[in-house]
Amino acid sequence: MATETRPAQATRPVSGGGERLPETVSATALDRAKKASHRARRRAQLRLSFISRPDIEAEAPPLARMLRGGRGGQVRLKLFLSYLWMQTSDRGTPLSYYAQSWAQLLDLDQPATTGARRINEAQAWLERHYFIAVKANPGHANVVTVLNETGDDSAYIAPGAAAKAHRATPEGLRHLYAQLSATLWTNGYIQLMTGAGLAMYLILLDQYRAAELTEPLHHVWISPKAFAARYDLSPDTRTKGINDLRDLGLLTFSRKPINPDDFDIERLRNVYTLHPGQLDQPAHRRPQKIKTSS
């Protein structure tokens, strides 16, 4: 089989310098996403307990654990969210697609070789850490069944169904969830996002705490101390993620006074506003010159 390489694309450095990132997603990835959307949810469901931990004594949340380990963490996160996107029933829907197809969906370089290997490595990690169960299927693609997003090795039940079953009970709080629009895939955003950008997108969904977001949204602020305690990610990940979302048009930030009605010395803080409506437009990276800080 000939090795498939992703077509050359224009790239620019990520805001603040560093790694060069593609400005647009390939036609192949968009085609795979369009086809996948016919077998997927209109909005993927993700428990908030995947994103944040309930208290500082708890272990790092699944999001932080999954991201650790360099570029491999980014593929693990994107692949797992893609599995969740394709959960069309309230119980785990078995998925059997070749690694090359997932690599094409996520727009990885050389999807038939290097990209497929990265998918297989990500899949093996997710299995070892109890986010999925994998069954070998000789002569065909492995069968993947998602497990609970918390990585506790329990069977998957869609959070919407679980929350409904436990409505008005303390148990129901464990199933609060955010929704990820199919356009995150079909318009190329998840493919272009860095791991840090995708993490910050999920963190902002956690901050808004709404199953569906309607614009205009109010701004949010996360103190550095609360960010570390709740999400267990580094300040560098936060800054890179904010820059990434801003370059993709998904977020704006501004500086607001902490105590605008106080006579004390004015102190400013960065506040962020998410723009989920941008997901309805084709993804395109537009690097900005201003770098955010905590």
Side-chain angles (χ1 to χ4, degrees), residues 24-36:
T24 57
V25 68
S26 73
T28 298
L30 293 176
D31 177 69
R32 295 298 180 272
K34 181 179 179 180
K35 290 176 179 176

Side-chain angles (χ1 to χ4, degrees), residues 134-147:
V134 179
K135 181 180 179 181
N137 190 16
H140 302 278
N142 290 341
V143 178
V144 174
T145 303
V146 297
L147 302 175

Side-chain angles (χ1 to χ4, degrees), residues 39 59 102 104 146 193 198 204 213-214 216 218 239 260 293:
R39 299 174 175 268
E59 67 174 333
W102 292 111
Q104 290 171 330
V146 297
M193 283 181 183
L198 184 52
L204 287 169
L213 299 179
T214 303
H218 60 81
T239 298
S293 62

Side-chain angles (χ1 to χ4, degrees), residues 49-65 68 129-131 149-153 228-232:
S49 55
F50 174 87
I51 304 167
S52 61
R53 55 184 170 191
D55 59 73
I56 197 169
E57 301 299 326
E59 67 174 333
L63 172 61
R65 303 202 308 270
R68 290 169 184 161
H129 292 82
Y130 307 110
F131 291 102
E149 301 101 306
T150 59
D152 65 358
D153 200 25
R230 190 175 182 86
Y231 305 109
D232 203 14

